[in-house]
Amino acid sequence: MISAANLARLLGLPEPTDEQAAVIESPLTPAVVVAGAGSGKTETMAARVVWLVANRHVAPAEVLGLTFTRKAAAELGRRIRWRLSQWRHVVERDEPDNTEQLAELLGGEPTVLTYAAYAGRLVGEHAMRVGAEPNPRLLSQAVCWQLADSVVRRYGGELPRGIGALASVSQYVMGLTGQFADHLVDPDAVDEFSGKLAERVRTVFGGDPPPTTDSGKLLASTLHRAALLPLVREYAAIKQSLPAVDFGDQMVLAARLAEVPDVVQIERERFRAVLLDEYQDTGHAQAVTLAGLFGNGHPVIAVGDPFQSIYGWRGASAGNIGRFAATFAGAVTYPLSTSWRNDEIVLDAANAVAAPLRTGAATVELRPRPGAGAGVIRAAVTETVEDEAAWLATRLREQWDAMPVGDRTAAVLVRRRSQIDEVRVALLAAGLPVEVVGLGGLLTTPEIVDVVATLRVLADHRSGSALARLLTGARWRIGPRDLAALSDRARELARERQVDPDEIDQGSLIEALDDLGDGDRYSTAGLYRMQALSGELRGLRRRLSAPLAELVADVERLIGIDVEVAARADRAAVGRVHLDRFLDEAARFASDADEATLPAFLAFLDAAEVEENGLDLGEVAVEKERVQILTVHGAKGLEWDVVAVPGLVTGVFPADPKSVDWTRARQLLPAPLRGDYAELPALP
């Protein structure tokens, strides 16, 4: 038997810690590893696979590794393949006659996939066993958004007053649909629950309670949720008619397949060792699927940490890792508590912040690596967010200048996107190269705001606020007097159409720009500029039938924003990065969609702008020589030399729990219907 320590020496690697060795050498029985942040879990998992192969417990092709993101799957797969190739060279050197193991090492390799990709493979291979289409079209998020948006726009029924704008309702439909899949819940069950709960509230209060009370808010959210169910059903019907599925639909089918004995036997024989990464972020449907396939004593190791669970808003249940020993009977728990990433004072602060949460067995207290530095934490209490941003920029500038040029990395992590602009402006004023990461944050940058405002004016004659931004911006510089004259012209046009002038909306400003009327009412410069803008917009409208990405590029080029960005000295290090990423988003939306219309794209952007957790699930990469601004949830698993976290105040970070309170949020599944309901507060 080759020990973990001897194996590391043979491969020329650092000797594992006692905790790592215990995981690597654990028997072929269920186990759960509670791995603190930066504790080397990927390297430990790779070493575990090599140890199993080296000691002939399994062949490389009999190993299955699952994780969440494509980036993480690629990294885990790369690490495992590299370690196995190192072991193959050792065998070739020391045991050249061991042809059987050499054949195994050369003839197969582990399967490393995302949880979604594995569910898709199960469906592709076995869907016909449950009467489902084996190769349905897999819908991207952009297409799902378009379908939901079309359902909402075509809906002929009534929706309660105050339920939200069209973009919000589309997002609610997608959110509820995803939660139904995550928790294996049928809309009929939600309908029945909503009816009983509404009746109960009204019975207690003898009618509808006041809308401002907690009970009134509970009743409103319940009625709104019930009103969304016909839309959810219609959305599901459209997907079925294509036929097509999203990732949630695939997971529901996978959970059904995990109940089929033949499928279970095939998967257990194919994979004799299973590694489940980031298990704290799995949802109920994923846990049910994995337990159905690999429960009852199969060698499964789950790795995770409930303190690093960030996807509760999309169905994850941090309690899954605490329930692992019950879900996978007889599982042993192992800790990984040495952090290889952070200095001592950072870990002390992390442990202090996490202390109130450390109530269950599935937690670890981090300790520093041997030789860890003391570290530095700087904090300040300021009167205003402007003062905070200025202080942060000054400190970050000092740190930036002290680091070696060429390899510097830094990040500012925010809880809310509304914080981004203040921080961005302060960092730019300090002369730092700034990149805003993520679609929602991207929409706050000035160059993208101008592009989107132009697109809104092209798409909808009622987008007066977008036109006002263009008119008063740095390019056209239309003053208040000319704006007032343009508004008067809009009212004249309304009267000519016999529209009540008291009911006129800002949208007619766009019509007024197309027909300015008597030029004497405007200043000479204002008239010239508005005529020029009107001509540009008419030219762009003739391009509305062009592919979406081309239209966005035309807008960017015609309004001159690319030249403006390139000419600004404070953008030299970042350049066109924001414009290019927005073009990529438009191209991705267009390539995924059946009919990529401009209104649908703008509705998608509306939802991304207001949704704190974001519509885009793209993977973030750390970029050198840039200060990256992104949300905390998008930073998981990434490392920078310097990290700043503004807004550490009550109600912001930690966040106000109202966003995840189903009694107030119509788009959330009621807790009693969730798969993890036993761990959630009960309804009185």
Side-chain angles (χ1 to χ4, degrees), residues 20-93:
Q20 289 175 317
V23 174
I24 295 167
E25 298 176 353
S26 62
L28 282 169
T29 55
V32 57
V33 180
V34 183
S39 59
K41 65 181 179 63
T42 302
E43 183 60 37
T44 303
M45 293 168 71
R48 164 70 171 174
V49 172
V50 178
W51 183 85
L52 289 172
V53 172
N55 286 289
R56 310 302 302 279
H57 292 303
V58 299
E62 295 174 325
V63 176
L64 172 65
L66 300 179
T67 188
F68 265 93
T69 66
R70 291 188 296 271
K71 180 180 178 181
E75 172 61 21
L76 179 59
R78 183 196 64 78
R79 193 85 61 96
I80 291 174
R81 287 191 295 272
W82 174 244
R83 295 289 177 250
L84 286 174
S85 70
Q86 288 180 296
W87 174 245
R88 190 186 75 240
H89 291 315
V90 170
V91 175
E92 289 173 339
R93 182 192 67 202

Side-chain angles (χ1 to χ4, degrees), residues 78-430:
R78 183 196 64 78
R79 193 85 61 96
I80 291 174
R81 287 191 295 272
W82 174 244
R83 295 289 177 250
L84 286 174
S85 70
Q86 288 180 296
W87 174 245
R88 190 186 75 240
H89 291 315
V90 170
V91 175
E92 289 173 339
R93 182 192 67 202
D94 297 343
E95 301 179 64
D97 295 331
N98 191 346
T99 56
E100 184 178 350
Q101 186 165 36
L102 286 173
E104 289 180 349
L105 290 166
L106 289 168
E109 61 180 32
T111 299
V112 182
L113 301 169
T114 64
Y115 288 101
Y118 179 63
R121 200 179 82 165
L122 272 180
V123 171
E125 292 181 359
H126 304 292
M128 293 184 69
R129 296 175 185 269
V130 292
E133 173 65 38
N135 295 302
R137 174 187 172 192
L138 180 60
L139 300 175
S140 69
Q141 190 176 35
V143 176
C144 288
W145 171 261
Q146 278 203 319
L147 291 178
D149 184 64
S150 68
V151 166
V152 172
R153 291 180 185 276
R154 293 199 315 264
Y155 183 56
E158 292 188 8
L159 291 174
R161 187 170 183 174
I163 198 169
L166 288 178
S168 298
V169 175
S170 299
Q171 181 67 0
Y172 298 157
V173 170
M174 289 181 62
L176 279 173
T177 298
Q179 289 176 72
F180 291 169
D182 289 334
H183 296 279
L184 304 177
V185 173
D186 186 270
D188 291 343
V190 180
D191 204 359
E192 181 182 359
F193 177 88
S194 299
K196 291 180 178 179
L197 180 58
E199 182 182 358
R200 179 179 173 186
V201 171
R202 285 166 168 156
T203 299
V204 169
F205 284 88
D208 289 358
T212 56
T213 65
D214 289 341
S215 298
K217 293 173 183 177
L218 170 61
L219 179 62
S221 67
T222 300
L223 296 177
H224 286 189
R225 189 180 299 113
L228 290 168
L229 293 179
L231 294 166
V232 171
R233 292 188 181 98
E234 179 62 21
Y235 176 55
I238 286 182
K239 288 189 293 182
Q240 189 174 6
S241 68
L242 289 177
V245 297
D246 57 24
F247 289 117
D249 299 325
Q250 277 193 334
M251 189 52 65
V252 171
L253 280 173
R256 291 174 58 191
L257 290 169
E259 299 173 349
V260 179
D262 288 348
V263 175
V264 174
Q265 182 179 352
I266 290 170
E267 294 302 299
R268 291 167 75 95
E269 290 177 353
R270 176 184 291 175
F271 301 116
R272 295 178 53 205
V274 180
L275 291 79
L276 306 177
D277 188 23
E278 303 287 8
Y279 190 77
Q280 80 281 348
D281 279 326
T282 55
H284 175 69
Q286 290 167 324
V288 168
T289 301
L290 295 168
L293 294 172
F294 303 116
N296 300 319
H298 198 72
V300 176
I301 285 188
V303 184
D305 178 5
F307 290 175
Q308 298 183 63
S309 179
I310 62 170
Y311 293 129
W313 53 272
R314 71 179 192 201
S317 172
N320 276 348
I321 197 165
R323 293 195 305 272
F324 189 85
T327 306
F328 295 82
V332 178
T333 301
Y334 298 93
L336 284 181
S337 57
T338 300
S339 176
W340 304 92
R341 181 183 298 167
N342 300 114
D343 293 330
E344 290 187 6
I345 193 171
V346 175
L347 294 178
D348 289 343
N351 285 327
V353 170
L357 305 176
R358 198 172 287 111
T359 57
T363 60
V364 294
E365 184 168 337
L366 294 168
R367 58 171 181 259
R369 66 193 183 279
V376 176
I377 293 179
R378 293 187 177 182
V381 178
T382 61
E383 289 190 8
T384 67
V385 292
E386 293 83 3
D387 293 339
E388 178 188 53
W391 182 90
L392 183 154
T394 301
R395 301 287 84 76
L396 202 52
R397 177 82 250 186
E398 294 171 357
Q399 293 290 321
W400 190 255
D401 292 340
M403 292 187 286
V405 177
D407 286 323
R408 296 175 292 190
T409 62
V412 179
L413 309 182
V414 300
R415 179 60 185 84
R416 294 177 178 172
R417 292 207 176 95
S418 58
Q419 300 172 260
I420 289 177
D421 196 55
E422 194 71 48
V423 172
R424 180 189 59 79
V425 171
L427 295 179
L428 287 173

